[in-house]
Amino acid sequence: MQLAKHLQNYAEATYNSLLIHAEFSTLQDRYVFTSNRLLRELNTLAIKYDIQIEIINIECATSDFGIPRFILLTPTHRNAQFNAELEVFIEKYHVEFIAAFVKSYF
């Protein structure tokens, strides 16, 4: 879990539209690169809609192969397009994390 510390430092310094409260220490190394892509695209989405997205926590349940769950807090205004893009984004990264697990398993 050495890579998670580096990702935390990098993310806090680079992704200015994300407010990160979470500790990345529970993140397994096999998910660090996928998590970085997630953070980069989430930051891009926040810039596109001129908002700030908060990452409240990261949960890594052992029953789900250690796949991280990012707990997000987004602005409360109702923007249908933002909500639709966020939903597609979440579904995409669910598949990405499963693919990262499968690659590391086999």
Side-chain angles (χ1 to χ4, degrees), residues 55-96:
I55 300 173
I56 302 298
N57 198 8
I58 300 173
E59 298 175 352
C60 299
T62 56
S63 62
D64 290 334
F65 316 111
I67 293 175
R69 289 186 205 119
F70 287 76
I71 311 300
L72 305 175
L73 183 63
T74 61
T76 57
H77 67 282
R78 301 285 184 226
N79 183 327
Q81 181 144 0
F82 170 73
N83 291 339
E85 282 191 54
L86 187 60
E87 189 172 322
V88 169
F89 174 84
I90 290 169
E91 290 174 7
K92 172 186 172 184
Y93 275 95
H94 179 70
V95 172
E96 291 281 333

Side-chain angles (χ1 to χ4, degrees), residues 2-51:
Q2 294 287 341
L3 294 176
K5 293 177 188 176
H6 295 292
L7 177 60
Q8 176 121 28
N9 293 334
Y10 179 77
E12 289 173 350
T14 306
Y15 304 126
N16 298 324
S17 293
L18 303 178
L19 186 56
I20 301 172
H21 301 291
E23 282 292 322
F24 288 35
S25 60
T26 59
L27 194 64
Q28 295 179 15
D29 283 348
R30 63 181 161 191
Y31 300 121
V32 166
F33 295 106
T34 304
S35 295
N36 187 44
R37 285 195 314 272
L38 177 143
L39 294 170
R40 184 187 68 227
E41 287 188 32
L42 192 61
N43 189 63
T44 303
L45 188 63
I47 291 170
K48 178 179 178 180
Y49 288 96
D50 193 29
I51 59 173

